[in-house]
Amino acid sequence: MVEGAQRRRSSNRPRWQKVRRDLSPRRGRTLLVTMAVAVGVMAVGSIATALTVLDRELAANYQSANPASVILSVDNVDDSLVQAIESRPGVAAVEARREVTARMMDPGEGYVPTLLVVVDDFSNVSVDRFLPESGATAPGSTGMLVERSTRREVDLEVGDERLIKVGGAEPTLLEVEGFVSDPGRTPAWMTGSVIAYVTPEALSGLGVVSGSVELHVVSAETGDRSVNQELAQRLTAQVEAAGSFVTSVEVPVPGVHPSAGVMRTLLFLLQAFGVVALVAAGALVATVVSAMLRREARSIGLMKAMGAGPGQISGMYLVGVAGIGLIGTLIGIPVGLAAGSGFDSFAAGLLNIDITNASPAGWVIPLQLTVGVAVPLLAALVPISRAAASTVRAAIDESRPTPKVRVGRRRLLDPALALGVRNAWRVPGRTVLTVLALAVGGAAFMVALNTGVAWDAAVDAEFAETRAYQAEIGLDRAYPIEAVESALDGISEVESVEYWMSVIAQVKTGEGVGSRFPIYAIPTPTSMLSFPMEEGRALQPGETGSLVVTHLVNDPALPVGSTVSLDIGGTSSDWNVVGITRRLGAGEAGAGFVETLPPDVAPAGVTNRLIIASDYDVSSVIEAAEAGLDHAGIAVIATASADSGREALDDHLFILVGMLLAVAGLIAVVGGLGLLETIATGVLERRREIGVMRAIGAGTSTVMRVLMAEALALSLASWAVALVLSVPATLLVESITGMIFFEMPLETKFSSLGVWIWLAIVTVGAVVASGLPTLDIAEAPVRDALVTE
């Protein structure tokens, strides 16, 4: 038995030596395949790492804050009410907290929106917790702690002093005494608002002595929203039975961070692109293996003549391919983990979370190993099986490939260029794989730019086409329109004003409460806002009880023709939904529009929101209007330019398109390697042809023109295919992107710039791909070129 095993090992050794000899002289091509596999494995691994780590850490960060299951806004609260709620069955924790709208002076920028979170005891925060980041852990009576994501909006450091203004009170200096991390909040760069934490004493120093209080309640069954909604109803009844008044109720989706949906879907898109990169790598493997088998056709025929079976021959070459895949995988795994870790750090900064455990899920590395070896094997299986199954005569008699495409009798091209174009199609299978691999990268590149154009178009339609005003000013309460008009009279910067009334409404359902969103009572018709209707119609002059909602009001959905009960400031009223409009800047909760509000909510002739149109600079308009209002004793609580929300949307666009372009770049690299390999393989296969050309007088420039024409033909074909592939891919990605961010598909748009940029890229790539592998052979002596490998 020992001798038999030795004989088998001895008989197997020549096969493995042949595989090694086949690959060793062609280290360049082997290296290209190895790099392609490594790039594909890196793409899949980096995105899988980011997906698993961010998904886990986002949830862990959010849960570490002990987020509220129910939030009640109450007109007044005392300690006994808090204790009564805390002792109620089904309540795990409760905390009273105030949130006050204010503004912070940012030198050089003016006042920016600010949310002041008032905390009674910074040493005992049990619900919606925030953690010290740097500086003090609790502010003094003239200080504040600032949420760290705010630093993306406003340049702040510990020790800085900023003027804080609340309503009509005089601005007061507060010192930045420290920074905190609040993992349960939407980052400041997404909301465009500074988030600061102050004591009740600091709030009193700002001139605020009264206001509503929020009760943040954690349910004992935090994972069931229906249970939380029932709890909210019972708590509302308890609070009102105690003599307080509930102005609004919020029941968040349990365990879901505000940014979780956007993050997960974005990573899904990136993962899809990563899989495409791996498939492109597989196409490159198939190209290289096919070329190698063509060169080894006679050797395969001889092995079969000596008794080698198809299984032995297939196994021999498949082991070689598996070895290349394994090497590429071992290179790609650590690079992918490092890239994923870098992406995690970048995304963690955007999402305002901390990565406490950067290790990917246990299945990520096995996945990389599997796909890194399996994909090359699957790609090589068909050409290897075909070669192994060929007859001895066919294998030994196999001749060099001949051109399949002929140029007509009339010479439309220079002979050298015509020969190069014909050479591009000498081996159709290889050509198709090369063109597809490069085209996929081009399609991904075009899709990224197309998505950016579609996003820009949607934002332009929102901020440029539907809004005819430049500035908004919010007042601390409702004022008679005549008083406001008088305050603004004579201010040249204020050219045209509409007086709106803004209130907060909450949908009442049989199960409890639904969406909470702002409602604007506006003049009908309005000259400041147009309504791109998705369904139904706009408001008509003189009608009461009619409501138009934005498409984002969907908890529950309010279809056209339905009647909805709304709680507005404690007053319940029924409204007929007559239309659904698109409004991207309305925020995640959406918005509603009516002509008049119930008299007990807002009597006729009052306003708390000014919509201003002017040709002057927006900042000068706001400054002049605010000065006139202050002089008249009308308190301003918020100011904004009409397109102030555009910056946040543009930040989303930058992140989205940047990530898609990065992955598209990986795919393009793999496709470029495929082009380089195809040209290099073709050069080796045509050594004698090039030698003959040189022998009959063709110079180096002529040889290079032939080879460059071949590369350009492949590149231009891939460019055309990329154009075709980009159309359905663009439709899919733009639809998904629109649904993620806007809950509606983006209007289909295509970027002509992307088409021409990619044409330039593939043209330059063709020049490089034809130059690098062919310069040596073109300059080689004729005798060397005519010698058979």
Side-chain angles (χ1 to χ4, degrees):
M1 291 181 64
V2 174
E3 292 180 359
Q6 289 176 342
R7 282 195 299 271
R8 285 193 297 272
R9 286 196 297 269
S10 177
S11 63
N12 288 335
R13 188 177 300 116
R15 283 187 287 166
W16 311 131
Q17 289 175 345
K18 174 170 175 51
V19 172
R20 186 172 63 253
R21 286 196 303 269
D22 288 344
L23 296 176
S24 296
R26 303 177 178 90
R27 292 186 180 90
R29 269 83 66 208
T30 304
L31 179 61
L32 285 178
V33 177
T34 304
M35 289 173 58
V37 173
V39 169
V41 170
M42 182 200 74
V44 171
S46 61
I47 299 169
T49 297
L51 180 64
T52 58
V53 171
L54 287 177
D55 196 34
R56 180 187 64 231
E57 294 299 304
L58 190 64
N61 274 251
Y62 186 58
Q63 291 302 324
S64 70
N66 195 25
S69 310
V70 176
I71 301 175
L72 304 179
S73 294
V74 185
D75 60 348
N76 64 82
V77 172
D78 56 25
D79 291 341
S80 62
L81 179 58
V82 173
Q83 292 171 2
I85 292 175
E86 191 167 22
S87 62
R88 185 184 184 94
V91 173
V94 61
E95 188 169 312
R97 191 176 295 178
R98 295 183 63 186
E99 294 189 355
V100 178
T101 301
R103 291 183 292 160
M104 175 185 290
M105 173 59 72
D106 184 17
E109 299 293 334
Y111 281 108
V112 296
T114 301
L115 180 67
L116 297 179
V117 181
V118 186
V119 180
D120 291 333
D121 184 359
F122 279 83
S123 64
N124 186 30
V125 177
S126 60
V127 182
D128 288 325
R129 289 189 291 255
F130 47 88
L131 303 174
E133 180 77 12
S134 62
T137 58
S141 60
T142 59
M144 58 182 169
L145 304 182
V146 177
E147 212 290 319
R148 64 182 182 181
S149 65
T150 292
R151 301 170 88 170
R152 288 179 173 267
E153 294 295 305
V154 180
D155 184 17
L156 292 172
E157 298 294 339
V158 173
D160 288 349
E161 292 185 328
R162 291 290 185 270
L163 285 171
I164 305 295
K165 183 177 176 63
V166 180
E170 288 296 318
T172 302
L173 277 176
L174 290 184
E175 180 182 351
V176 178
E177 297 184 0
F179 290 92
V180 299
S181 165
D182 193 338
R185 286 190 181 271
T186 301
W189 70 271
M190 292 186 181
T191 64
S193 177
V194 174
I195 304 169
Y197 303 79
V198 298
T199 63
E201 293 76 18
L203 188 66
S204 297
L206 293 170
V208 181
V209 295
S210 63
S212 63
V213 179
E214 289 186 346
L215 289 174
H216 292 233
V217 181
V218 178
S219 170
E221 299 184 44
T222 56
D224 192 330
R225 194 183 187 201
S226 63
V227 172
N228 295 343
Q229 288 178 324
E230 293 175 2
L231 177 62
Q233 288 181 303
R234 294 194 299 270
L235 292 176
T236 299
Q238 181 179 357
V239 169
E240 294 185 341
S244 297
F245 179 69
V246 177
T247 57
S248 69
V249 180
E250 183 179 352
V251 183
V253 178
V256 178
H257 189 281
S259 305
V262 172
M263 184 275 297
R264 289 175 184 170
T265 312
L266 176 60
L267 286 174
F268 169 78
L269 287 174
L270 296 179
Q271 186 72 26
F273 275 48
V275 171
V276 171
L278 194 62
V279 172
L284 176 56
V285 171
T287 300
V288 174
V289 171
S290 296
M292 180 181 71
L293 293 174
R294 279 185 171 279
R295 291 192 300 268
E296 299 299 322
R298 289 186 174 86
S299 297
I300 292 172
L302 291 173
M303 286 190 290
K304 297 192 73 171
M306 296 172 64
Q312 291 175 306
I313 294 173
S314 297
M316 182 177 68
Y317 285 104
L318 286 174
V319 167
V321 171
I324 293 174
L326 182 60
I327 294 172
T329 300
L330 294 178
I331 295 172
I333 285 176
V335 177
L337 293 177
S341 178
F343 179 81
D344 286 338
S345 298
F346 171 73
L350 293 176
L351 298 172
N352 196 33
I353 62 173
D354 293 315
I355 303 293
T356 57
N357 179 8
S359 301
W363 54 264
V364 172
I365 291 179
L367 172 67
Q368 291 176 281
L369 283 168
T370 301
V371 299
V373 176
V375 169
L377 285 175
L378 290 173
L381 187 60
V382 172
I384 288 176
S385 299
R386 185 184 299 120
S390 64
T391 65
V392 174
R393 184 175 184 277
I396 293 177
D397 289 347
E398 184 171 338
S399 60
R400 297 288 181 180
T402 56
K404 302 293 183 181
V405 176
R406 298 182 180 275
V407 178
R409 294 179 180 179
R410 296 180 61 186
R411 289 188 175 181
L412 302 178
L413 295 174
D414 173 83
L417 298 180
L419 178 60
V421 172
R422 291 200 303 270
N423 284 340
W425 298 94
R426 289 169 68 99
V427 185
R430 180 196 306 165
T431 298
V432 169
L433 289 173
T434 303
V435 168
L436 283 177
L438 194 56
V440 167
F445 177 83
M446 294 179 196
V447 166
L449 293 188
N450 290 344
T451 303
V453 170
W455 184 294
D456 271 340
V459 175
D460 282 342
E462 172 65 29
F463 290 93
E465 297 176 15
T466 66
R467 303 187 186 192
Y469 60 93
Q470 286 69 50
E472 299 179 58
I473 296 180
L475 309 180
D476 67 332
R477 59 181 176 84
Y479 291 86
I481 291 177
E482 293 82 358
V484 178
E485 283 181 324
S486 177
L488 298 178
D489 188 35
I491 299 177
S492 59
E493 291 87 348
V494 180
E495 297 179 352
S496 178
V497 184
E498 276 192 359
Y499 302 97
W500 294 11
M501 188 68 197
S502 172
V503 295
I504 299 297
Q506 185 145 35
V507 177
K508 298 176 66 176
T509 68
E511 293 75 27
V513 295
S515 297
R516 183 169 178 256
F517 55 90
I519 281 187
Y520 302 99
I522 63 175
T524 304
T526 172
S527 62
M528 298 294 187
L529 191 66
S530 63
F531 291 91
M533 303 305 298
E534 299 292 318
E535 296 181 48
R537 60 173 177 82
L539 296 171
Q540 300 297 322
E543 66 179 338
T544 59
S546 295
L547 172 69
V548 170
V549 296
T550 65
H551 69 285
L552 292 171
V553 178
N554 54 17
D555 181 24
L558 304 180
V560 173
S562 64
T563 299
V564 58
S565 179
L566 298 179
D567 187 319
I568 305 175
T571 299
S572 294
S573 52
D574 292 336
W575 298 82
N576 298 317
V577 180
V578 298
I580 299 175
T581 183
R582 183 187 73 240
R583 192 165 186 249
L584 305 185
E588 291 185 0
F593 299 90
V594 301
E595 186 178 41
T596 59
L597 291 165
D600 51 349
V601 173
V606 298
T607 181
N608 65 359
R609 193 172 194 87
L610 313 182
I611 310 299
I612 302 174
S614 176
D615 290 332
Y616 285 84
D617 177 70
V618 174
S619 59
S620 63
V621 172
I622 292 175
E623 183 179 352
E626 185 170 358
L629 294 168
D630 283 345
H631 182 73
I634 298 173
V636 174
I637 61 169
T639 61
S641 62
D643 57 354
S644 58
R646 179 165 191 151
E647 184 177 350
L649 291 174
D650 286 342
D651 286 341
H652 284 77
L653 172 64
F654 172 77
I655 295 166
L656 173 69
V657 174
M659 290 178 180
L660 293 181
L661 284 176
V663 182
L666 292 177
I667 302 173
V669 167
V670 176
L673 293 176
L675 177 63
L676 184 62
E677 166 58 23
T678 297
I679 299 300
T681 300
V683 168
L684 288 176
E685 290 178 346
R686 298 196 301 280
R687 261 182 94 89
R688 286 186 173 182
E689 294 179 20
I690 295 173
V692 171
M693 291 173 60
R694 298 284 307 284
I696 62 176
T700 299
S701 62
T702 301
V703 175
M704 294 296 292
R705 285 209 314 277
V706 171
L707 301 171
M708 190 173 296
E710 181 178 352
L712 282 171
L714 293 172
S715 295
L716 292 176
S718 75
W719 175 72
V721 174
L723 280 175
V724 175
L725 293 178
S726 69
V727 174
T730 294
L731 294 175
L732 178 63
V733 172
E734 288 183 354
S735 177
I736 292 175
T737 301
M739 293 305 297
I740 296 168
F741 292 97
F742 305 137
E743 296 190 18
M744 56 178 289
L746 293 175
E747 182 182 355
T748 302
K749 295 289 183 180
F750 296 94
S751 169
S752 59
L753 180 63
V755 173
W756 300 118
I757 290 178
W758 187 250
L759 176 61
I761 290 174
V762 295
T763 301
V764 172
V767 173
V768 174
S770 61
L772 290 178
T774 58
L775 188 58
D776 290 340
I777 191 71
E779 294 287 358
V782 173
R783 181 179 178 280
D784 292 346
L786 294 174
V787 173
T788 304
E789 281 188 304

